[in-house]
């Protein structure tokens, strides 16, 4: 049994980023002009930062920049020479269109969907929008009363 040594010695994050085709990325960047008016934080840096945020589980920009600083020496091989500041990331998140990243996702999805398990991929489900309402359903209010805490209104007993 032979082993695949294509990714041997590379960090997992680097392996995932190597699956992104640079020619497709460049086509999308030129299509949407997403690097226009940006001096340092181009679309590639922004994409890598946001993917690192997702994979590291960071929930805030402060956590993201701290995590990127901790891995600064490991990110140089990805083409990232500097760690973006929180304000730069915030401005980029606000100003750069999310359509750019949606298009990148769809191109990657179409390219690699044959590798994904079938049970999670149903194109008719992926193309639908589901709206969930979080309001209380009053139709079964009396039936669901026993499931929760009983409603007791405590009143202060006054002395006469």
């Amino acid at each position: 049994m032979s082993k695949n040594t294509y990714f041997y010695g590379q960090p997992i994050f680097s392996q995932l980023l190597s699956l992104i085709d640079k020619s497709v990325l460049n086509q999308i960047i030129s299509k949407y002009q997403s690097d226009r008016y940006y001096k340092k934080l181009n679309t590639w840096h922004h994409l890598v930062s946001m993917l690192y945020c997702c994979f590291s589980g960071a929930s805030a920009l402060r956590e993201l920049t701290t995590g990127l600083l901790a891995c600064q020496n490991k990110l140089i091989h990805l083409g990232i020479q500097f760690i973006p500041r929180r304000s730069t990331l915030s401005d980029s998140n606000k100003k750069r269109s999310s359509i750019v990243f949606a298009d990148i996702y769809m191109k990657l999805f179409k390219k690699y969907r044959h590798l994904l398990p079938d049970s999670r991929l149903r194109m008719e489900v992926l193309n639908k929008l589901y709206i969930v309402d979080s309001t209380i359903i009053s139709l079964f209010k009396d039936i669901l009363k026993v499931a929760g805490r009983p409603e007791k209104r405590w009143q202060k007993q006054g002395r006469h």
Side-chain angles (χ1 to χ4, degrees), residues 79-101:
I80 297 179
Q81 280 73 27
F82 73 99
I83 303 301
R85 297 187 184 274
R86 280 179 304 182
S87 60
T88 307
L89 281 170
S90 176
D91 291 341
S92 294
N93 285 340
K94 187 174 12 173
K95 293 179 182 174
R96 187 171 279 134
S97 176
S98 62
I99 296 171
V100 175
F101 300 109

Side-chain angles (χ1 to χ4, degrees), residues 4 6 8 10-11 24 34 45 49-50 60 68 70 76 78 83 89 106 124 139 142 144 153:
N4 184 357
Y6 178 71
Y8 185 73
Q10 293 182 15
V24 172
S34 63
H45 286 90
S49 300
M50 292 296 105
L68 286 170
I76 291 174
L78 299 175
I83 303 301
L89 281 170
M106 288 310 296
E124 59 271 2
L139 181 63
D142 295 330
L144 295 175
R153 301 205 180 232

Side-chain angles (χ1 to χ4, degrees), residues 118-136:
D118 290 337
S119 62
R120 297 188 68 194
L121 300 177
R122 301 279 182 244
M123 288 308 293
E124 59 271 2
V125 174
L126 291 176
N127 292 329
K128 290 182 183 178
L129 174 66
Y130 291 98
I131 298 174
V132 178
D133 188 8
S134 64
T135 56
I136 297 172

Side-chain angles (χ1 to χ4, degrees), residues 30-145:
S30 63
K31 178 181 175 182
Y32 293 107
Q33 296 291 315
S34 63
D35 282 346
R36 193 173 183 191
Y37 305 120
Y38 289 94
K39 294 178 183 176
K40 279 189 163 183
L41 192 68
N42 59 17
T43 306
W44 173 250
H45 286 90
H46 194 185
L47 178 66
V48 170
S49 300
M50 292 296 105
L51 287 174
Y52 182 83
C53 180
C54 293
F55 294 133
S56 68
S59 60
L61 290 177
R62 185 178 305 271
E63 290 178 47
L64 171 62
T65 54
T66 304
L68 286 170
L69 279 171
C71 298
Q72 184 173 12
N73 294 333
K74 297 176 183 176
L75 296 176
I76 291 174
H77 67 278
L78 299 175
I80 297 179
Q81 280 73 27
F82 73 99
I83 303 301
R85 297 187 184 274
R86 280 179 304 182
S87 60
T88 307
L89 281 170
S90 176
D91 291 341
S92 294
N93 285 340
K94 187 174 12 173
K95 293 179 182 174
R96 187 171 279 134
S97 176
S98 62
I99 296 171
V100 175
F101 300 109
D103 203 6
I104 292 169
Y105 170 78
M106 288 310 296
K107 298 270 187 199
L108 289 173
F109 177 75
K110 287 177 184 176
K111 183 176 180 179
Y112 294 112
R113 80 174 179 202
H114 68 279
L115 298 173
L116 299 172
D118 290 337
S119 62
R120 297 188 68 194
L121 300 177
R122 301 279 182 244
M123 288 308 293
E124 59 271 2
V125 174
L126 291 176
N127 292 329
K128 290 182 183 178
L129 174 66
Y130 291 98
I131 298 174
V132 178
D133 188 8
S134 64
T135 56
I136 297 172
I137 301 172
S138 60
L139 181 63
F140 298 105
K141 188 176 174 183
D142 295 330
I143 296 171
L144 295 175
K145 241 185 220 181

